[in-house]
Amino acid sequence: MTGRPEQLFPLFAGLETLEGVGPKTAQLMGQLAIEAPRDLLFSLPYAVVDRRRRSTIKGAQPPLTLTVEVTIGAHRPPRNKGGAYRIHVEDEQADFQLVFFHARGDYLKRLAPTGSRRLVSGKLEIFDGLAQMVHPDHVVPLEEAADIPEFEPVYRLTQGVTQKTMYKAVRATLMRVPELAEWIDPAQKAASKWPDWAEAMARAHAPEALDDLSSSAPARERLAYDELMAHQLTLALARRRERRARGIVSRATGRLQARVLAGLPYKPTNAQARAIEEIAADMASETRMNRLLQGDVGAGKTLVAFLALLVAVEAGGQGVMMAPTEILARQHLEGLRPMAEEAGVVLEILTGRDKGAERRAKLAALAEGKIQILVGTHAVFQQDVAFRDLRLAIVDEQHRFGVRQRMELGAKGQGADVLVMTATPIPRSLALAQYGDMDVSVLDEKPPGRKPVKTAVVSTERMDEVVGHLRRAIDEGRQCYWVCPLVEESEVMDLTAAEERFKRLRAVLGEGVVGLVHGQMPPAEKDAAMAAFQSGQTKVLVATTVIEVGVNVPNASIMVIERAEIFGLAQLHQLRGRVGRGSAESTCLLMYQSPLSEGGRRRLDVLRQTEDGFVIAETDLQMRGAGDMIGTAQSGLPRFRIADLERQAGLMAVAQSDARTLLETDPELDGERGRAARVLLWLMRQDEAIRLISVG
């Protein structure tokens, strides 16, 4: 299948080929991401105006939009400059005025000559007891009445593009819509009562009531499903391609794992045991593992990760664990070291800091297989890093790590299994959208011994009390994080906010007690400040959000978050997870500046009520929407035009299983539905996927 199917050509032609669209309009439409007639189809109306004809305005309840046939009466030009130009009109039973501002009289006399019959449509309002229509949307001679649809769809616009232009362009595009063969499973389509694709398009652009605009209207739901299906088909093709790449069979003996488990003060949770079983089974199979390990704050991902690395070592190979930053890599090292000693395996770290002879020695040991488990940063990707027998690569914090890096890492060990860990609980619909090519293991229980964190909400006005509370805690030997908000406008502002707070706390608590870390610091200074806090030298660490991921200081038992109301829920949950790691009772103080917005209050309430990251993530998704939740730009989340991930989570799951089933029954997509699905991929601009089929 070399290029786009011919029946789609008209939809991918230039916009200027549409009646009424010139080069200038086409350029303006580009700002709405409309580059071809196809994009107009996927820009559905968000509202509908009822313009059904009435014989009279009598009995109507203004303000309301209505359409009525009138006889044009006297014109009354404005008395003074900038005044209103009024035209008296009469319908069958009542009279009212058309009102225009800044209008040219000669134009209005041509538009509505006295004595003529016109169809007018617009918003009728009462002003000083008189009914009037200010700047009617339509004033047309009766023979052109058909130009005004009974129900007018309302489209999103950009500067210079009017509703009328959009309406005409969409109508012209609908004339070109081809009849396409059906790619949806017939049983699925019948059960959902969905129309054919062309009919769904026509109906979605001709809403007759508010219900037709809802995401559950059959025509819209079908089009949303098509989008999700195309996306899931792309992911399923990528997944199939990865699976076709032969994996390495790594069979666990359990010998090393048993040593680690025996040394633990408690039994792993059921969720941990289940995850390890799933991972070991994947590693023992002939296809490559591509699994996501999703765990809430403190759910014990480190143990699962280490046991997975031990499977690789037990099978005679090596494992690598990647972290996005040097600080996190060192922390993984600290976390894994005691377990590595229990198991008696060689654990080493490789970062950008390793230079010269030391680096060469590490690389040699790695190539000879003397280092069994390596922890590292992106430095592991460099050309000269070679493993003797890499079986498993674990990637921490996926969202800083795209599909491409997953593939590169796999390339280091031909067929090495890949496990991605994320500490951000993601609602199921988003997990499917973002990681649909992966299998997922979820850690949704906390290991015994984790104490709940007490969460309190306080107003900034009580700052002095909070500082007093802090002073007492420090006297008892405890440590505290103090997080200052990132003020988006400028990085300089954040700095001043954090530095001011740092100075004020230092003045109250004393020299040498308070440390500071923020995004603008040179990495070495940042590391030094973190190290001083980790070693307990400083008692309070003032920080912008650089600490949300992974920092582990068990003695820190207080987390103060200033202006908590401007943080996202997931972020607040991550920050709170930095405390409650030791034996002390921990507290998280969410400080807000009043007045609190409705959304701000709701977010803080959710945090106060629950520590379950998945509950928090679902709430976050409902409140903020998918794009904001993971920052669409860098999230790798597709931008859907019709599908709504918040409301249509269930549809995404259906699309995923349908896509996988279709590929299982028709791997080359050359059956009847398979060929239709290829057309769907072209229609949805999934060029990536089309390449995956052709190279197959």
Side-chain angles (χ1 to χ4, degrees):
M1 173 156 180
T2 42
R4 185 179 290 130
E6 212 165 305
Q7 60 200 123
L8 297 182
F9 286 179
L11 296 183
F12 285 89
L15 285 169
E16 295 95 287
T17 58
L18 295 171
E19 191 195 353
V21 180
K24 184 153 184 248
T25 307
Q27 197 183 348
L28 291 167
M29 284 182 166
Q31 292 168 353
L32 292 165
I34 295 171
E35 279 145 22
R38 171 253 178 234
D39 302 323
L40 281 163
L41 290 179
F42 289 88
S43 310
L44 297 186
Y46 67 91
V48 58
V49 183
D50 181 348
R51 294 199 194 275
R52 280 176 294 186
R53 321 280 182 264
R54 302 168 72 110
S55 57
T56 175
I57 65 164
K58 200 173 166 183
Q61 299 285 320
L64 118 124
T65 298
L66 45 77
T67 308
V68 63
E69 197 176 308
V70 296
T71 303
I72 305 289
H75 283 234
R76 294 221 311 274
R79 290 197 202 95
N80 49 12
K81 199 169 165 5
Y85 188 115
R86 297 170 186 277
I87 302 176
H88 187 85
V89 299
E90 287 181 20
D91 66 29
E92 280 180 12
Q93 300 180 37
D95 58 344
F96 57 101
Q97 289 184 338
L98 305 183
V99 182
F100 298 87
F101 293 97
H102 314 296
R104 300 191 315 281
D106 51 347
Y107 163 73
L108 291 174
K109 288 196 172 77
R110 280 201 310 278
L111 182 75
T114 301
S116 64
R117 302 276 293 160
R118 289 288 183 265
L119 190 64
V120 296
S121 183
K123 193 175 194 180
L124 187 76
E125 296 169 289
I126 302 288
F127 190 72
D128 280 348
L130 291 172
Q132 57 178 38
M133 205 179 265
V134 180
H135 288 280
D137 304 315
H138 302 273
V139 177
V140 299
L142 302 187
E143 57 274 18
E144 288 170 30
D147 283 2
I148 306 180
E150 292 207 334
F151 296 96
E152 184 174 38
V154 184
Y155 294 98
R156 301 208 183 285
L157 303 175
T158 181
Q159 198 67 47
V161 178
T162 62
Q163 282 298 344
K164 203 168 178 178
T165 310
M166 277 296 278
Y167 179 75
K168 281 191 137 148
V170 170
R171 287 291 159 287
T173 306
L174 285 169
M175 303 294 287
R176 302 183 171 188
V177 164
E179 286 291 332
L180 299 177
E182 188 54 83
W183 47 77
I184 298 179
D185 174 49
Q188 168 67 36
K189 189 178 161 194
S192 307
K193 301 195 172 58
W194 288 338
D196 286 345
W197 181 75
E199 191 194 331
M201 263 307 164
R203 275 206 240 160
H205 284 283
E208 296 195 352
L210 283 175
D211 284 354
D212 295 341
L213 298 167
S214 92
S215 53
S216 59
R220 286 210 168 203
E221 193 174 68
R222 183 226 148 109
L223 296 173
Y225 173 87
D226 291 342
E227 250 186 329
L228 300 175
M229 175 72 173
H231 172 62
Q232 286 298 337
L233 207 47
T234 306
L235 288 172
L237 284 163
R239 166 189 159 100
R240 178 183 75 181
R241 181 170 152 191
E242 290 203 348
R243 300 214 141 184
R244 281 195 177 166
R246 303 267 313 189
I248 310 167
V249 175
S250 302
R251 285 206 178 81
T253 63
R255 196 170 51 86
L256 301 174
Q257 295 180 65
R259 290 186 197 167
V260 172
L261 293 170
L264 288 179
Y266 53 84
K267 240 174 74 133
T269 62
N270 293 334
Q272 283 174 316
R274 194 172 54 238
I276 268 295
E277 248 171 65
E278 291 169 346
I279 291 166
D282 274 1
M283 289 178 70
S285 91
E286 286 179 10
T287 48
R288 271 176 79 170
M289 169 165 79
N290 191 12
R291 187 172 280 280
L292 176 70
L293 177 63
Q294 229 192 335
D296 200 353
V297 172
K301 285 188 297 297
T302 314
L303 175 66
V304 174
F306 189 68
L307 292 174
L309 290 163
L310 286 183
V311 172
V313 179
E314 287 175 352
Q318 294 164 296
V320 63
M321 184 154 174
M322 304 266 317
T325 65
E326 175 110 17
I327 290 179
L328 283 175
R330 296 208 169 275
Q331 221 168 285
H332 280 316
L333 185 72
E334 295 310 308
L336 300 179
R337 190 170 273 147
M339 293 193 278
E341 281 165 8
E342 286 287 345
V345 297
V346 182
L347 173 73
E348 199 40 272
I349 186 166
L350 182 69
T351 70
R353 278 204 198 165
D354 292 305
K355 300 270 187 283
E358 191 183 350
R359 180 179 158 90
R360 281 196 299 277
K362 280 186 187 176
L363 294 181
L366 201 59
E368 287 165 27
K370 288 189 176 139
I371 295 173
Q372 293 161 297
I373 296 177
L374 183 69
V375 173
T377 56
H378 289 67
V380 172
F381 281 139
Q382 286 157 354
Q383 250 8 133
D384 56 351
V385 180
F387 293 82
R388 201 188 106 224
D389 181 7
L390 179 62
R391 300 293 186 97
L392 172 66
I394 298 186
V395 182
D396 188 15
E397 285 305 329
Q398 161 72 10
H399 40 257
R400 307 218 167 84
F401 231 85
V403 175
R404 187 166 300 116
Q405 281 97 334
R406 296 210 298 256
M407 295 211 167
E408 273 180 25
L409 194 61
K412 284 269 177 224
Q414 249 9 85
D417 290 316
V418 179
L419 179 68
V420 174
M421 292 202 303
T422 170
T424 322
I426 310 167
R428 180 138 187 270
S429 57
L430 289 192
L432 287 177
Q434 211 177 356
Y435 307 114
D437 58 326
M438 307 180 79
D439 300 299
V440 183
S441 295
V442 179
L443 296 181
D444 48 10
E445 303 168 56
K446 291 219 158 100
R450 286 283 302 217
K451 291 212 169 91
V453 177
K454 278 216 302 276
T455 303
V457 177
V458 250
S459 150
T460 337
E461 285 140 35
R462 294 169 53 193
M463 182 70 76
D464 295 345
E465 281 177 58
V466 173
V467 177
H469 175 77
L470 215 67
R471 183 193 267 135
R472 288 191 296 282
I474 291 169
D475 291 343
E476 292 168 16
R478 296 169 51 190
Q479 284 175 278
C480 161
Y481 292 103
W482 188 297
V483 178
C484 296
L486 276 171
V487 189
E488 288 296 320
E489 281 77 62
S490 87
E491 308 216 301
V492 186
M493 293 263 304
D494 306 333
L495 266 182
T496 47
E499 278 173 346
E500 280 308 297
R501 178 63 57 229
F502 168 66
K503 286 182 188 137
R504 286 182 51 191
L505 288 174
R506 196 175 55 182
V508 181
L509 303 169
E511 283 290 329
V513 177
V514 188
L516 171 67
V517 35
H518 56 70
Q520 280 8 79
M521 280 178 153
E525 275 181 50
K526 218 187 281 185
D527 286 359
M530 296 293 294
F533 186 64
Q534 267 169 325
S535 67
Q537 203 179 319
T538 51
K539 302 295 178 202
V540 178
L541 184 63
V542 175
T544 51
T545 50
V546 291
I547 60 164
E548 70 181 278
V549 188
V551 188
N552 193 13
V553 182
N555 189 40
S557 57
I558 299 170
M559 168 67 71
V560 179
I561 304 175
E562 229 179 302
R563 297 293 311 274
E565 77 278 5
I566 65 179
F567 286 87
L569 262 174
Q571 216 177 11
L572 289 169
H573 178 61
Q574 285 296 319
L575 286 166
R576 172 170 64 184
R578 300 291 118 228
V579 296
R581 292 168 167 253
S583 50
E585 278 288 309
S586 293
T587 327
C588 175
L589 294 178
L590 303 172
M591 295 182 78
Y592 66 90
Q593 195 167 315
S594 49
L596 258 181
S597 70
E598 188 44 45
R601 166 166 294 120
R602 207 175 131 196
R603 282 204 295 275
L604 299 185
D605 280 349
V606 170
L607 278 156
R608 200 168 49 194
Q609 286 155 13
T610 179
E611 275 196 77
D612 182 330
F614 288 93
V615 171
I616 288 169
E618 289 291 351
T619 314
D620 203 9
L621 179 60
Q622 284 157 18
M623 287 181 68
R624 280 201 299 161
D628 298 336
M629 193 169 153
I630 8 191
T632 308
Q634 41 87 38
S635 66
L637 252 193
R639 289 196 160 99
F640 295 119
R641 287 204 155 182
I642 297 177
D644 173 340
L645 286 181
E646 290 92 281
R647 295 203 184 82
Q648 298 180 311
L651 215 51
M652 178 65 102
V654 175
Q656 185 191 48
S657 82
D658 288 359
R660 289 186 174 184
T661 312
L662 176 60
L663 273 185
E664 275 156 30
T665 51
D666 181 4
E668 299 308 320
L669 293 184
D670 45 22
E672 209 174 321
R673 252 186 81 208
R675 287 199 305 275
R678 290 179 178 230
V679 174
L680 167 70
L681 291 172
W682 280 111
L683 178 67
M684 295 301 188
R685 301 182 186 272
Q686 296 284 345
D687 308 0
E688 219 29 26
I690 292 153
R691 274 213 317 282
L692 285 170
I693 306 176
S694 42
V695 300

